[in-house]
Amino acid sequence: KRNLSLVSYGSSDEDSKDLPKHSVASSLSRRRESLPKVSPSLTVSVPKSDPALHQGRVRTTPHVDGQFAAFVYIPVSLTSNVKLRKLLQQSVRLAKESVPALICEDKCLNSELHISLTRPIYLRDHQREDLKRAVKAAAYAHDPFTASFSTFAVFDNDECTRTFLSVEVGAGHAEMKRLSESLEPTLALLHQKGFYSEPRFHASIAWALLAPKSGSRGELESSAQGPELKAASTCAFASTTGAPLIETPAEHTAISSFPASMLPEVDSHFACTLSKSKVGVFEVEDLCVKIGKEVFSWGLGKGKR
């Protein structure tokens, strides 16, 4: 047998011991400085949840990267119904006399209203096509129909952070409920909540911020009985006395509630005209879903033609 001798090699630790400390430090510093900078295109920007940038609105669902907010709705065009558009604009102006904090998006009352058929839906990227297929199938399986707005109503969102002045659907309610219910199986597969059992279909025309009230957030959320919007009277802290203005930290005006007199006053001026034919009447011909910033639309009854 050959006798293999071991060769001793000096380690880097031993080498570094022979070097002055300042030489080692400068060497490490040069290595750090030579690292390339990360390209801005490789960084992911996180949306700012700043109420000041969104008219005082507060994000109620935390942002999740790769998640898309969606909802299914019936569009109501106002460009072809000048009488309805003018009536809604007049009703908002009257409401603002008692609630100066009322906010109305100009584009909302100039072009199109939305009647929601679902709660807010939160999808992962691979679930988007599933929802689109379900909405398309629902649209194709139902015939177009005539509907109408019958009265004004007030709704609060589940978190009681905003209150809405809306017009409520009369005729066409049954058809809308069937459309909404046809989406339930897909929503269940996507682990999303369905619409409520006794829906009040409506289109919001203006809104105001609600000031925080006493009670923990958990208590307020547990008291919520509806989906995205519910009747204002069911809100845990809804007030029926006046609308005192409260300045929020974001310098947006919030109220405790709409004044008790506002809705009856709007109704007395405009509800009779709203319920008349050719004013509050509209044709339901399309079903839409908005996913993120994209809108997809399908005509009703096309699968039967």
Side-chain angles (χ1 to χ4, degrees), residues 158 160 218-226 230 234-236:
D158 275 348
C160 292
E219 291 172 348
L220 295 178
E221 288 181 344
S222 65
S223 70
Q225 299 176 359
K230 57 181 180 297
T234 68
C235 194

Side-chain angles (χ1 to χ4, degrees), residues 146-151 168-173 176 274-276 280-282:
T146 301
S148 66
F149 294 116
S150 60
T151 188
E168 191 166 1
V169 170
H173 184 281
M176 291 184 190
L274 178 68
S275 60
K276 288 182 179 179
V281 176
F282 56 95

Side-chain angles (χ1 to χ4, degrees), residues 158-299:
D158 275 348
E159 296 78 18
C160 292
T161 58
R162 287 199 290 165
T163 185
F164 297 79
L165 175 62
S166 309
V167 280
E168 191 166 1
V169 170
H173 184 281
E175 291 86 346
M176 291 184 190
K177 187 175 182 181
R178 283 195 290 271
L179 271 171
S180 179
E181 289 176 343
S182 69
L183 299 170
E184 297 283 339
T186 299
L187 294 177
L189 289 173
L190 297 174
H191 305 288
Q192 301 291 318
K193 293 181 179 180
F195 215 36
Y196 40 4
S197 57
E198 297 182 4
R200 293 175 60 184
F201 298 106
H202 60 275
S204 297
I205 59 177
W207 58 274
L209 293 173
L210 282 175
K213 297 294 179 179
S214 59
S216 68
R217 181 180 179 84
E219 291 172 348
L220 295 178
E221 288 181 344
S222 65
S223 70
Q225 299 176 359
E228 179 189 11
L229 298 177
K230 57 181 180 297
S233 59
T234 68
C235 194
F237 52 74
S239 169
T240 56
T241 58
L245 302 182
I246 302 171
E247 292 298 326
T248 66
E251 297 183 355
H252 289 277
T253 303
I255 62 175
S256 60
S257 70
F258 286 140
S261 61
M262 187 202 73
L263 187 59
E265 186 176 10
V266 172
D267 254 337
S268 66
H269 280 79
F270 304 108
C272 184
T273 306
L274 178 68
S275 60
K276 288 182 179 179
S277 60
K278 297 183 180 180
V279 178
V281 176
F282 56 95
E283 298 300 319
V284 179
E285 299 176 335
D286 298 291
L287 187 60
C288 299
V289 59
K290 184 174 183 180
I291 304 176
K293 295 182 179 180
E294 294 183 289
V295 176
F296 306 91
S297 178
W298 294 274

